[in-house]
Amino acid sequence: MKLKNFLAVLLMIMSFTACDEDTLNTIKELNLKMTFYYDGTEITDLKNVINLNGTGTLAYTLDSVAFDALDITAKILEKTSSTKEDVTINFDSKSNKGTIIISSTLKEEVTLEVTVKNNGKVIRTYQLKITNFIAEEEDKRPRISLDALAGEGEIYNVHIPFHSESIPYFYELSVIAEGIYANEQNLNVNISIDSDTLEKFNQEKFGFRNDLRYKQLPDSYYSCPIVCHIPEGINTQKLPIEFKNMTNLDMSKRWILPVTIKKDPSYILNMENKKHRAFLNIISYNNYSGTYSSTEMKIYVRETTNDPATVDTRTAFAIDAQTIFFYAGTTWMEDENRDKYKVIVEFGEGVKDEDGIITGPIVVQGNTDNEAQITPFGECTYKRSITQHTTQPHINVETTILYLSYYYTDVTSNPAYPIRYRVTGSMTMQRSINTLIPDKDQAIIW
């Protein structure tokens, strides 16, 4: 058995040594490996973009046995008219090492194709994504951005209190000049209202749901300067935007003031995270608007008393200084028919007791059409109190409790079979006030 194995191995060796030159070249080609380096570090993933940072030189090695006539070439693919094809290959056949020199400044990402041939036959092709951005003279112009209060994504909430018609409300939007250098010039930053961008934002976010789209705040409700002047040596300036009385504005809609910075040669727009614009989401408020805990509001079918439905919260929107609305029962805030289910609550004058607690009556009604047949029953009242925070003595907590009972009819789930509901219980809202801030409108912690 051992003799047979020995003869088989000997036969394989004799066959290999007797193979022709083409077969040997094929074996060599299969074993060829080309490795690229930049700044002494191996490039392990050729799919990543390699930034040559102005030096423009790649090194490479060939891991293979010697070839008789090895030819290595390189060229730039997908180049534009601004890209010069200026690539030089150096190869030392003794050490199997070489360099690829990119002499031109590449103004864009391009593909470098490296081809290895043996006796005119292509045996390897490599493609590398490269750039070679040589730093030009440093741009000292400041980057300009807008900084609004916290919101969600690009949407920044602006809470505007209801005042008398003669008292406007000013919101200060920060305009910031950023950069590694101090602001060395008097800057005039140009401001505009960008309707086109708002329309594009709506299309991307809401698609066909037109009822959910943000609407641009009408001109009659605000006044915004078109230039913000930032003096030399100053990096932040306030842009005062005047908001006027919001009494006639339908707060069931979502109102946005899309403020943006216009281009100008004297500065650069800060495009990072879209900081060159701010979508100001207008939220009017009064003492009674906000998010209420509504788990104590029981929703019954007609006059039944078992298995009531509940919702965790109800958001109350301000209509004027003494009136709010919220959506009836379990109506979802994004329901296409939500406008039919507005429960309008008007607060009457309250009486304060010796503990400072205010109680008073409320009037409950539906909207003008009242398709949902919203009608109150029993006594509807409210209670308001102010207490000191248990652990933060500079914080006052305002608590508002609504005691409500009303009927409404679901006329849209199945119009052929409307369902009457009875809702009764209480809703509670708390609002924190920082007493260290003298202006109460600014002291509310949203």
Side-chain angles (χ1 to χ4, degrees), residues 13-129:
I13 295 173
M14 292 174 64
S15 299
F16 178 78
T17 55
C19 66
D20 59 26
E21 185 176 348
D22 290 339
T23 303
L24 288 175
N25 282 334
T26 300
I27 295 171
K28 291 180 182 180
E29 292 167 7
L30 291 174
N31 288 295
L32 183 140
K33 180 183 177 183
M34 194 171 193
T35 306
F36 297 90
Y37 300 86
Y38 180 65
D39 273 351
T41 302
E42 180 181 347
I43 301 168
T44 57
D45 190 349
L46 300 185
K47 294 180 181 179
N48 291 340
V49 178
I50 306 158
N51 186 3
L52 301 180
N53 293 323
T55 59
T57 301
L58 283 170
Y60 65 89
T61 61
L62 287 173
D63 182 12
S64 70
V65 294
F67 283 86
D68 295 331
L70 201 61
D71 181 31
I72 301 174
T73 59
K75 63 179 179 180
I76 295 174
L77 303 179
E78 306 167 4
K79 64 181 184 296
T80 65
S81 58
S82 63
T83 303
K84 295 180 180 179
E85 187 170 357
D86 194 359
V87 182
T88 304
I89 286 283
N90 293 316
F91 176 57
D92 183 353
S93 58
K94 293 182 179 179
S95 62
N96 275 0
K97 295 180 180 180
T99 57
I100 305 171
I101 302 172
I102 315 295
S103 301
S104 60
T105 300
L106 306 178
K107 296 298 184 182
E108 68 283 322
E109 176 189 317
V110 297
T111 300
L112 178 69
E113 184 178 81
V114 180
T115 303
V116 182
K117 297 179 181 180
N118 182 39
N119 287 320
K121 177 185 176 183
V122 176
I123 57 175
R124 284 289 187 279
T125 299
Y126 300 89
Q127 289 191 349
L128 298 83
K129 299 290 185 181

Side-chain angles (χ1 to χ4, degrees), residues 3 13 59 61 83 89 100 104 107 133 137 152 195 215-216 223 230 244 275 287 314 335 343 346 408 413 435 438:
L3 180 60
I13 295 173
T61 61
T83 303
I89 286 283
I100 305 171
S104 60
K107 296 298 184 182
F133 291 105
E137 183 179 352
E152 179 183 350
S195 306
K215 300 183 182 300
Q216 184 171 320
S223 177
I230 305 179
K244 302 171 185 179
K275 290 182 180 179
N287 288 334
R314 290 280 85 174
D335 190 308
V343 179
E346 183 178 355
Y408 81 98
S413 294
T435 60

Side-chain angles (χ1 to χ4, degrees), residues 283-323:
I283 303 175
S284 294
Y285 72 92
N286 58 25
N287 288 334
Y288 315 101
S289 61
T291 301
Y292 283 77
S293 171
S294 57
T295 55
E296 295 302 314
M297 289 295 293
K298 310 302 181 182
I299 306 164
Y300 299 94
V301 176
R302 299 182 182 90
E303 299 302 324
T304 61
T305 57
N306 297 324
D307 299 324
T310 60
V311 291
D312 291 339
T313 60
R314 290 280 85 174
T315 299
F317 301 90
I319 295 177
D320 57 35
Q322 296 298 123
T323 311

Side-chain angles (χ1 to χ4, degrees), residues 405-422:
S405 297
Y406 65 91
Y407 290 99
Y408 81 98
T409 302
D410 181 354
V411 295
T412 53
S413 294
N414 188 342
Y417 298 95
I419 300 175
R420 188 72 165 162
Y421 290 96
R422 178 171 56 91

Side-chain angles (χ1 to χ4, degrees), residues 131-292:
T131 61
N132 188 18
F133 291 105
I134 298 176
E136 299 176 357
E137 183 179 352
E138 199 160 20
D139 196 335
K140 296 183 178 181
R141 293 179 299 169
R143 294 193 307 162
I144 307 298
S145 59
L146 299 175
D147 185 22
L149 296 177
E152 179 183 350
E154 299 174 60
I155 306 298
Y156 299 92
N157 295 331
V158 177
H159 294 86
I160 301 175
F162 270 107
H163 290 306
S164 65
E165 293 186 8
S166 60
I167 304 177
Y169 176 79
F170 285 90
Y171 174 80
E172 294 184 332
L173 178 62
S174 295
V175 183
I176 303 173
E178 301 174 291
I180 59 175
Y181 297 96
N183 180 26
E184 299 176 347
Q185 57 181 315
N186 290 312
L187 284 173
N188 287 318
V189 179
N190 299 314
I191 305 294
S192 70
I193 305 302
D194 192 353
S195 306
D196 293 339
T197 301
L198 178 59
E199 176 60 28
K200 182 179 179 181
F201 177 84
N202 275 326
Q203 182 62 38
E204 292 174 352
K205 187 173 180 66
F206 301 112
F208 66 92
R209 285 295 301 272
N210 292 331
D211 61 301
L212 297 179
R213 292 188 174 203
Y214 292 103
K215 300 183 182 300
Q216 184 171 320
L217 186 68
D219 295 347
S220 58
Y221 287 97
Y222 73 92
S223 177
C224 180
I226 60 173
V227 175
C228 180
H229 179 70
I230 305 179
E232 179 183 353
I234 301 297
N235 291 96
T236 302
Q237 189 68 289
K238 301 294 186 181
L239 179 74
I241 302 175
E242 178 185 350
F243 290 101
K244 302 171 185 179
N245 188 273
M246 300 285 173
T247 300
N248 297 320
L249 193 65
D250 183 0
M251 293 311 298
S252 65
K253 314 299 182 188
R254 308 183 189 198
W255 299 101
I256 289 286
L257 186 62
V259 183
T260 190
I261 303 168
K262 295 175 67 175
K263 292 182 179 180
D264 189 89
S266 62
Y267 53 78
I268 303 169
L269 300 187
N270 186 357
M271 308 295 286
E272 181 183 356
N273 296 325
K274 300 181 176 65
K275 290 182 180 179
H276 65 293
R277 71 189 192 204
F279 290 161
L280 304 182
N281 183 30
I282 309 306
I283 303 175
S284 294
Y285 72 92
N286 58 25
N287 288 334
Y288 315 101
S289 61
T291 301
Y292 283 77

